């Protein structure tokens, strides 16, 4: 069965359920290539596991440090897929990668401390640090490689700097950070005794070459490393809010656990989300492989489309299902271009710009291509047929 054929996208359901700038938030004639959330249903073993778990009808409180089965499955996933040895009892399941970022920032920053984040990067990085009353310092990335400008990075570090945040692969650039650069970051972090917080939520969506986890055994060992990840992107589970944080040692795990406030029961991941997470990581390899194959074709379609548009400059992503072309030959800025495409072509996109992906993202637009070939082709045809109108301010 092809899980990613054109007839597998149920727009009727998506129009009711898919929020966050997607189908349910637009007029019916709009195609949203917006928030990074697939248009496909999740893997069949997950749907089966939900129904099996619910059939018993019991839904008591779960353990505040997370379900052991889920924690074990994350440790095994890292061993199987990422060449990384992780102990289950240092993994805290949380109710999203977004929350994972928030509690990492809270655990390692005091008011007035600062942390360095990449620019461009997803707005959650800034939000999590500011929420912890920390100060955000941005450091420019080379948009072709997602590598920090190392000279700038060193200049930004001062006595109040506590952490360097990484997004690997990078949203919105769609780029994997190469091994040599990860080693450089580890060296700098060691030199200044900084934390590395590595957001690896996109690390299972790659094409030619896999993404190297900061805890991979091919990298030099460094203790002060936190990983944030989740299952929204790889298994189409965003609505279940399933994520986790990996700590390097028991002391740090306890700090993360304190910051999570799970013990109060006011916060925490649902038991069902953990059943789902465990099933995804233990029974859905084939589905993920097929998803990657489909995305590889959609990526090609997206590249070809971008090449045809006179005011888009391609920046070929090697991971994620995001393309992030730069605008050229136009006076429109990112917001204006996105508004114009919505109005003329009825296709919704995400603009670059400081509100979304920090300041270096201005002059770009983001296209999410995790949909069917028919929908993507239709969206691109619509934009192509409006190119003359799109030049005008
Ligand atoms: C880099 C990055 N981190 C975190 C998240 C949030 O993931 P979740 O749905 O688990 O909160 C996203 C979602 O787009 C993301 O791109």
């Amino acid at each position: 069965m092809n899980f990613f054929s054109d007839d597998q996208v149920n727009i009727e359901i998506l129009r009711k359920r898919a929020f966050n700038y997607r189908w349910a938030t637009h007029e019916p004639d709009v195609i949203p290539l917006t928030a990074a959330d697939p248009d496909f249903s999740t893997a069949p073993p997950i749907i089966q596991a939900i129904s099996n778990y619910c059939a018993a009808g019991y839904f008591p409180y779960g353990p505040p440090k997370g379900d052991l089965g889920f924690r074990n499955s994350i440790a095994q996933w890292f061993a199987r897929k990422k060449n990384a040895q992780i102990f289950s009892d240092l993994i805290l399941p949380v109710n999203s990668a977004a929350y994972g970022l928030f509690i990492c920032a809270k655990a390692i920053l005091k008011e007035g401390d600062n942390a360095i984040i990449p620019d461009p990067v997803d707005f959650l990085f800034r939000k999590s640090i500011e929420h912890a009353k920390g100060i955000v310092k941005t450091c420019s990335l080379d948009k072709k490689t997602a590598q920090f400008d190392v000279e700038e990075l060193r200049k930004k570090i001062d006595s109040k700097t506590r952490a360097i945040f990484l997004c690997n692969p990078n949203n919105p650039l769609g780029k994997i950070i190469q091994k040599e650069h990860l080693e450089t970051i580890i060296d700098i972090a060691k030199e200044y005794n900084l934390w590395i917080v590595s957001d690896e939520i996109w690390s299972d969506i790659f094409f030619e070459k896999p993404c190297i986890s900061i805890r991979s055994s091919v990298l030099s060992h460094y203790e002060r490393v936190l990983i944030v990840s989740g299952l929204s992107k790889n298994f189409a589970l965003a609505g279940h809010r399933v994520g986790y944080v990996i700590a390097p040692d028991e002391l740090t795990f306890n700090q993360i656990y304190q910051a999570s406030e799970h013990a109060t029961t006011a916060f925490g991941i649902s038991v069902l989300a953990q059943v789902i997470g465990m099933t995804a990581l233990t029974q859905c390899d084939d589905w993920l492989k097929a998803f990657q194959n489909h995305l590889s074709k959609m990526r090609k379609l997206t590249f070809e489309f971008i090449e045809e548009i006179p005011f888009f400059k391609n920046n070929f992503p090697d991971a994620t299902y995001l393309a992030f072309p730069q605008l050229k030959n136009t006076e429109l800025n990112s917001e204006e271009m996105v508004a114009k495409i919505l109005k003329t072509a009825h296709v919704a996109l995400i603009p670059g710009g400081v509100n979304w992906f920090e300041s270096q993202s201005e002059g770009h637009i983001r296209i999410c291509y995790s949909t069917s070939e028919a929908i993507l082709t239709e969206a691109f045809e619509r934009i192509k047929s409006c190119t003359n109108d799109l030049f005008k301010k």
Side-chain angles (χ1 to χ4, degrees), residues 96-98 122 124 167 171 199 201-202 232-233 241:
S96 63
D122 191 86
L124 281 169
C167 187
N171 169 15
D199 179 329
I201 194 168
W202 282 103
S232 295
K233 312 299 167 191
R241 314 309 293 129

Side-chain angles (χ1 to χ4, degrees), residues 25-238:
T25 69
H26 284 287
E27 295 296 327
D29 61 344
V30 170
I31 299 176
L33 306 180
T34 50
D37 192 6
D39 278 348
F40 301 101
S41 65
T42 193
I46 295 175
I47 300 165
Q48 189 59 51
I50 293 172
S51 108
N52 293 350
Y53 186 81
C54 291
Y58 282 90
F59 303 103
Y61 290 109
K65 290 185 181 167
D67 174 73
L68 191 57
F70 182 37
R71 297 166 89 191
N72 285 338
S73 72
I74 297 166
Q76 285 155 14
W77 184 257
F78 271 75
R80 275 196 309 128
K81 303 273 184 183
K82 298 176 196 294
N83 197 9
Q85 197 197 16
I86 309 274
F87 295 110
S88 307
D89 51 3
L90 302 180
I91 301 171
L92 183 67
V94 293
N95 89 344
S96 63
Y99 187 61
L101 284 170
F102 273 60
I103 59 176
C104 286
K106 187 170 157 195
I108 61 182
L109 298 175
K110 287 198 302 296
E111 189 166 351
D113 286 347
N114 69 61
I116 298 175
I117 66 168
D119 181 359
V121 82
D122 191 86
F123 64 83
L124 281 169
F125 282 55
R126 173 176 291 277
K127 292 255 180 269
S128 59
I129 293 162
E130 290 181 347
H131 190 259
K133 300 198 166 54
I135 293 163
V136 174
K137 289 192 172 188
T138 58
C139 180
S140 316
L141 294 186
D142 178 332
K143 289 180 187 165
K144 290 206 161 57
T145 59
Q147 294 192 180
F148 282 115
D149 176 331
V150 172
E151 212 175 301
E152 184 186 334
L153 182 65
R154 285 186 173 280
K155 278 195 194 134
K156 292 264 163 95
I157 297 171
D158 63 24
S159 62
K160 291 272 188 185
T161 307
R162 299 286 170 258
I164 301 172
F165 280 60
L166 302 180
C167 187
N168 191 22
N170 178 280
N171 169 15
L173 294 175
K175 301 281 181 177
I176 291 172
I177 307 174
Q178 296 305 307
K179 178 171 178 265
E180 296 67 30
H181 191 65
L182 290 171
E183 289 286 7
T184 304
I185 303 301
I186 291 173
D187 285 346
I188 294 174
K190 273 185 189 165
E191 193 179 328
Y192 295 95
N193 199 27
L194 304 177
W195 284 98
I196 296 175
V197 179
S198 182
D199 179 329
E200 300 182 2
I201 194 168
W202 282 103
S203 61
D204 298 317
I205 308 293
F206 57 82
F207 302 103
E208 288 80 18
K209 268 168 77 174
C211 173
I212 299 175
S213 169
I214 197 76
R215 289 284 299 270
S216 163
S217 59
V218 304
L219 293 175
S220 309
H221 178 71
Y222 182 50
E223 263 307 305
R224 289 165 78 88
V225 165
L226 289 162
I227 293 179
V228 174
S229 195
L231 286 91
S232 295
K233 312 299 167 191
N234 42 6
F235 290 103
L237 293 168

Side-chain angles (χ1 to χ4, degrees), residues 247-300:
D249 52 42
E250 205 181 329
L251 181 71
T252 312
F253 177 84
N254 287 333
Q255 285 165 348
I256 293 288
Y257 179 60
Q258 288 292 320
S260 77
E261 299 188 45
H262 282 189
T264 66
T265 69
F267 299 87
I269 175 170
S270 87
V271 282
L272 187 57
Q274 296 179 87
V275 170
I276 290 168
M278 184 170 71
T279 310
L281 299 183
T282 54
Q283 295 177 41
C284 300
D285 280 19
D286 290 349
W287 185 91
L288 181 59
K289 187 93 210 106
F291 188 32
Q292 284 173 328
N293 283 340
H294 173 74
L295 290 171
S296 173
K297 290 183 206 136
M298 298 308 100
R299 181 178 68 144
K300 186 164 176 285

